[in-house]
Amino acid sequence: PIDPAANGVAGAQEAVKYYRLSEIEEQNTFKSTWIIINNNVYDVTKFLEEHPGGEEVLREQAGGDATESFEDVGHSTDAREMAADMKIGELHPVSWRKLEPLSPRPHLTSLPPTLKWRLPVLHSATTLWSIMSVSAP
Ligand code: HEM
């Protein structure tokens, strides 16, 4: 059979594989250790023992998002290239917001309810002033 990828035919690269967070979370064992960095999914199973920072730190992040700790260390370009070789796919966009809760919008939540629902129709300082004077007790 003809394998287009083996011939280096343009456009024959495999499509990106997307993983849901739930699938990644299961890969936290000695047999299979995956981590997420910047929405990319890495299989670090075979890398654990070679990692200069030790295998423990990788295990701690297994099955989850290691972006912050990875960036905190200030990994070298070399380290980033090594990571690229271990990339197996990307976090499916539906799982992105599960990683970090959507931040609340304090400027809206701190407003009185009467103002909140009127916000979309606010146009000028004059309008704002008239609404505020009407809502004042
Ligand atoms: C695929 C992912 C990773 C790769 C390929 C990788 C690779 C490396 C490499 C090559 C170094 C040597 C220093 C450098 O070149 O920057 C290093 C150091 C280190 N890594 Fe990672 N790393 C990965 C993920 C992580 C994660 C997720 C953590 C933290 C949870 C971590 C923690 C550390 C620490 C603490 C050091 C410092 C060791 C020292 O300076 O003594 N690494 N890593």
Side-chain angles (χ1 to χ4, degrees):
I2 298 161
D3 177 4
N7 294 325
V9 174
Q13 305 102 309
E14 276 177 49
V16 176
K17 176 98 174 87
Y18 287 105
Y19 297 97
R20 310 268 166 142
L21 188 57
S22 53
E23 299 173 77
I24 302 165
E25 281 168 344
E26 290 166 14
Q27 312 303 323
N28 60 1
T29 65
F30 281 81
K31 275 186 182 166
S32 177
T33 313
W34 294 4
I35 56 172
I36 304 164
I37 300 170
N38 293 317
N39 291 328
N40 293 315
V41 182
Y42 301 94
D43 183 344
V44 295
T45 317
K46 292 179 184 137
F47 177 67
L48 289 171
E49 290 176 25
E50 297 166 31
H51 182 223
E55 59 181 290
E56 194 50 40
V57 286
L58 292 180
R59 287 200 191 289
E60 276 168 19
Q61 313 283 330
D65 187 25
T67 307
E68 215 178 290
S69 23
F70 181 85
E71 298 298 352
D72 280 352
V73 172
H75 279 92
S76 64
T77 313
D78 272 4
R80 284 162 201 277
E81 281 166 9
M82 291 166 80
D85 289 339
M86 290 178 256
K87 179 173 165 178
I88 54 168
E90 293 177 17
L91 184 63
H92 193 288
V94 296
S95 295
W96 286 0
R97 65 198 174 116
K98 290 186 189 144
L99 283 189
E100 278 181 54
L102 290 177
S103 56
R105 292 178 294 163
H107 61 288
L108 283 185
T109 45
S110 60
L111 285 172
T114 37
L115 258 183
K116 229 185 280 179
W117 66 261
R118 284 189 221 228
L119 268 182
V121 293
L122 289 183
H123 292 298
S124 65
T126 326
T127 325
L128 178 60
W129 179 245
S130 61
I131 291 172
M132 281 167 63
S133 18
V134 170
S135 323

